[in-house]
Amino acid sequence: MSPNDDYTLEVLQDLGLLTKAQIDSARQDADEGGPLRHLIRNGALSEEDVSRALAAQNSMEFVDLSQVHAERNVIDLVPADDARRYQAVPVALRDGVLVIAVADPMDMQSMDDLTYKLGRELEFVCSTPDAVRKLIVKFYGNADDASAELLKAMAPAESGGGPVEDDESNAGEGDAPVIKLVSMLLLEAYTNRASDIHIEPLEGKLRVRFRIDGVLQEMQAPPKRLHGAMVSRLKIMSRTMSIAERRLPQDGRIQIRLGDKSVDLRVSTIPTVHGESVVMRILDKTSLMLGLPDLGFLSDDQAKFEQCINLPDGIILVTGPTGSGKTTTLYGCLNYMNKPDRKLITVEDPVEYQMNGINQVPVNASIGMTFPAALRSILRQAPNIIMIGEIRDYETASIAVNASLTGHLVLSTLHTNDAPSAIARLVDIGVKPFLVSSSVRAVLAQRLVRRLCPKCKQPAELSDYEMSALQIEPGMLRQSQVMRPAGCDACRGKGYRGRMGIFEMFLVDDEVRNMINNNSSTISLRQRARELGMRTLREDGVRKVLAGMTTAEEVISTTMADMD
């Protein structure tokens, strides 16, 4: 099923399978699975309804795979690994054209890749994800049990027979178990919603940690003797990293398919005194196909922000430190604005997530493809909306400003601690104040806080310290739903599941433009923004504490610098 719920819901509404009221209600009531999954669970839709609608929208035939009986010679035309990777299964051979059933009729990239790999003419039909999975198992059998292989891989080190070898040259024995070990590690990280995997060789042991909801958690690690083989396996999977080079840092990228999800990994290795340390950033494409409410916007802020990103021109900036969710917010905006009547182009370093319907340009400084060079070229592509990964120098800022003044809407990020400081940052870079005032429409500062697990959160009372730190008056508690974390199987006993943003939205009006032209200080701009109704990061966090969405502890620790 396509991860782009908003598009799918629009299709279902156009076909009369859903009403706008049903969709609005689902968006309000949905959990992390999203509104589409919520509607299916509650019986308003079936997976077949969704697949048939998407097939019709993409001019693709829908096939009931329970009636398919392909010959062995047809099945053998698609290797088992490709069938599982692309969730695509052969069903017939018609006049030399191989008919392939796919689970996601919108995943054009996978269909293109499969056509290229097979090197023949293909016709694609559509069925439900469950039916495709079942037919893959029927034709090719179950995939190897990775967990069993993991136990086999660990057995020699735990069953005695001498000291554990630290020499990486001995770590290559038993390639097949190591392959399953790495596969199991990636699957476990993805299942636990980890954003990063850290594989760190220490003196005498190997440490594996997952970053889940922004917090590193130590996991059960394999014996250190397998470290070298694991690193080599990951380098081989990346296809661009050298297994012979262990003295220099390396970067690579891995694309894998876990079940019916396509997941990208950004891999970084660096030599340490005990071996190569590996960090893998998990880039799950579905995590960026989010609607604005999923990002953490409350209804009033969402309405203001939607007004901003629906403007025909100007610059919208998202600010915050590294790891504050800026990229996720930008992609959420692109997902919201990605319509057939708009041309969207991004310039990124690197392109972290590939999105259907958007032209994404990777920066490559080694061949002269810098941010400014890319921006000059894409302006000749007549885009409506441009997303720049980050404004980090005068030349990039200047082109962004000029693009916004010539009828383009520009989205980008800056590294500043709050929203009004973005104005001073642009001026410091070298942009003239009158150009800043003419181009910038809004600045959104943000941080991430952990979201309370909806299955186990419990009512709570705020302590005197929390009331004082967050400046909460007793009267504000009358209509509140303050909650605390409890812990359950769904959140692995942590009490939190997922993260959301807290926001500070700075809108530029005529008076603010005059203040920018007159080189007013950041403090003056902030005072004016407060007069216009801007809530600070901490104040937005307080609203979410009182609504039972997160905890006072999370907001206090995340907004320690917010002294307003």
Side-chain angles (χ1 to χ4, degrees):
M1 194 176 307
S2 169
N4 193 336
D5 277 9
D6 286 338
Y7 175 79
T8 305
L9 291 170
E10 287 180 12
V11 171
L12 293 167
Q13 184 180 349
D14 291 341
L15 294 175
L17 295 174
L18 288 176
T19 64
K20 187 176 186 303
Q22 285 177 302
I23 294 173
D24 291 341
S25 175
R27 282 176 170 150
Q28 288 182 349
D29 299 338
D31 57 16
E32 288 185 1
L36 190 59
R37 184 60 56 186
H38 177 80
L39 288 163
I40 292 173
R41 277 201 306 264
N42 288 313
L45 286 170
S46 68
E47 282 202 343
E48 183 172 331
D49 290 334
V50 177
S51 294
R52 284 185 179 276
L54 289 174
Q57 191 71 12
N58 289 276
S59 302
M60 194 178 290
E61 179 186 355
F62 181 87
V63 174
D64 181 0
L65 295 186
S66 65
Q67 307 301 316
V68 169
H69 304 284
E71 299 292 333
R72 190 73 242 175
N73 64 318
V74 174
I75 297 171
D76 290 342
L77 293 174
V78 178
D81 287 345
D82 288 338
R84 294 190 182 103
R85 179 179 181 184
Y86 298 110
Q87 286 298 287
V89 61
V91 295
L93 192 63
R94 300 174 185 165
D95 299 325
V97 178
L98 182 59
V99 181
I100 303 279
V102 296
D104 185 356
M106 295 175 63
D107 190 357
M108 304 302 296
Q109 184 66 52
S110 291
M111 288 186 267
D112 288 345
D113 290 349
L114 189 58
T115 301
Y116 177 78
K117 290 192 72 172
L118 298 181
R120 62 181 302 147
E121 186 177 355
L122 303 181
E123 177 186 348
F124 291 98
V125 297
C126 174
S127 193
T128 65
D130 186 56
V132 170
R133 283 193 295 269
K134 287 180 179 177
L135 200 60
I136 289 173
V137 171
K138 178 181 176 182
F139 286 173
Y140 302 101
N142 283 304
D144 292 333
D145 186 352
S147 59
E149 293 291 348
L150 174 61
L151 294 175
K152 289 180 186 176
M154 297 179 70
E158 296 183 343
S159 59
V164 174
E165 293 283 352
D166 284 346
D167 184 1
E168 291 188 354
S169 64
N170 295 326
E173 59 188 47
D175 284 345
V178 168
I179 291 172
K180 301 306 176 187
L181 169 63
V182 171
S183 298
M184 187 64 184
L185 178 69
L186 298 179
L187 182 60
E188 184 181 6
Y190 181 78
T191 302
N192 285 299
R193 303 175 297 103
S195 61
D196 301 283
I197 304 170
H198 295 249
I199 302 173
E200 302 160 313
L202 306 177
E203 185 177 6
K205 74 168 190 173
L206 185 65
R207 181 168 68 178
V208 174
R209 294 188 290 175
F210 295 166
R211 190 181 298 277
I212 302 173
D213 297 335
V215 179
L216 280 171
Q217 300 179 23
E218 190 159 353
M219 315 302 289
Q220 183 176 358
K224 190 177 180 183
R225 64 188 299 276
L226 295 177
H227 171 246
M230 291 173 63
V231 175
S232 295
R233 171 61 183 162
L234 291 167
K235 288 180 176 179
I236 290 169
M237 291 173 70
S238 78
R239 300 182 182 179
T240 59
M241 302 169 75
S242 170
I243 62 173
E245 181 56 76
R246 299 176 181 173
R247 300 163 301 170
L248 296 173
Q250 294 189 66
D251 294 302
R253 196 178 188 111
I254 298 171
Q255 186 175 61
I256 57 174
R257 186 170 282 274
L258 299 174
D260 60 348
K261 298 287 181 68
S262 178
V263 178
D264 286 348
L265 304 173
R266 225 168 64 197
V267 186
S268 170
T269 66
I270 190 167
T272 72
V273 293
H274 298 298
E276 287 182 281
S277 175
V278 182
V279 175
M280 289 177 281
R281 174 95 181 269
I282 300 176
L283 306 173
D284 177 15
K285 296 177 183 177
T286 63
S287 69
L288 290 186
M289 301 301 180
L290 301 174
L292 296 181
D294 301 315
L295 298 175
F297 282 102
L298 296 177
S299 57
D300 54 347
D301 281 342
Q302 181 182 335
K304 291 178 185 176
F305 194 59
E306 284 180 358
Q307 287 179 354
C308 294
I309 61 179
N310 280 318
L311 292 171
D313 54 30
I315 296 178
I316 311 293
L317 294 172
V318 181
T319 75
T322 300
S324 60
K326 300 187 298 294
T327 300
T328 301
T329 297
L330 284 183
Y331 274 97
C333 295
L334 293 176
N335 186 43
Y336 173 82
M337 296 185 291
N338 189 8
K339 308 291 182 186
D341 61 340
R342 298 173 178 173
K343 180 161 184 174
L344 285 72
I345 300 183
T346 73
V347 182
E348 304 169 67
D349 181 20
V351 174
E352 292 192 358
Y353 301 85
Q354 297 177 17
M355 299 180 70
N356 289 328
I358 295 177
N359 300 279
Q360 295 173 272
V361 179
V363 167
N364 188 346
S366 63
I367 60 172
M369 189 64 162
T370 59
F371 271 110
L375 284 170
R376 290 191 197 94
S377 298
I378 68 171
L379 288 175
R380 292 191 285 272
Q381 294 281 312
N384 301 105
I385 298 164
I386 301 168
M387 192 271 271
I388 305 169
E390 182 185 348
I391 294 178
R392 50 179 82 164
D393 54 43
Y394 169 72
E395 200 171 3
T396 303
S398 177
I399 296 172
V401 167
N402 289 332
S404 71
L405 296 176
T406 53
H408 305 86
L409 182 65
V410 179
L411 308 177
S412 190
T413 69
L414 275 178
H415 282 107
T416 63
N417 287 328
D418 62 7
S421 296
I423 303 300
R425 175 67 180 143
L426 288 175
V427 174
D428 288 343
I429 287 175
V431 182
K432 299 295 184 184
F434 77 92
L435 290 175
V436 174
S437 66
S438 302
S439 57
V440 176
R441 299 287 183 265
V443 183
L444 183 76
Q446 71 174 69
R447 300 290 188 276
L448 292 176
V449 295
R450 288 186 290 174
R451 191 189 296 263
L452 281 165
C453 175
K455 295 185 181 298
C456 65
K457 63 182 180 180
Q458 297 178 359
E461 294 184 1
L462 296 175
S463 67
D464 291 341
Y465 165 73
E466 290 170 337
M467 295 276 287
S468 173
L470 297 179
Q471 298 181 13
I472 297 176
E473 301 294 333
M476 298 167 65
L477 298 174
R478 294 193 188 104
Q479 302 295 324
S480 70
Q481 306 174 50
V482 177
M483 297 286 182
R484 66 174 179 84
C488 65
D489 291 341
C491 60
R492 300 180 71 250
K494 299 298 180 181
Y496 297 95
R497 186 173 174 84
R499 289 191 290 175
M500 64 181 175
I502 54 175
F503 304 101
E504 179 178 280
M505 195 180 310
F506 175 40
L507 303 178
V508 178
D509 68 352
D510 289 338
E511 185 170 340
V512 170
R513 289 189 185 94
N514 289 331
M515 294 174 70
I516 296 171
N517 287 334
N518 293 325
N519 288 313
S520 295
S521 67
T522 298
I523 294 175
S524 299
L525 290 173
R526 188 171 185 80
Q527 289 173 343
R528 174 57 186 163
R530 300 284 277 139
E531 291 170 5
L532 290 172
M534 181 187 82
R535 276 182 290 268
T536 65
L537 291 164
R538 179 163 286 191
E539 287 171 345
D540 190 47
V542 166
R543 295 203 301 164
K544 287 161 186 173
V545 170
L546 298 179
M549 301 167 72
T550 188
T551 62
E553 180 184 6
E554 279 290 296
V555 173
I556 292 170
S557 63
T558 305
T559 61
M560 289 299 291
D562 189 354
M563 302 302 293
D564 192 331

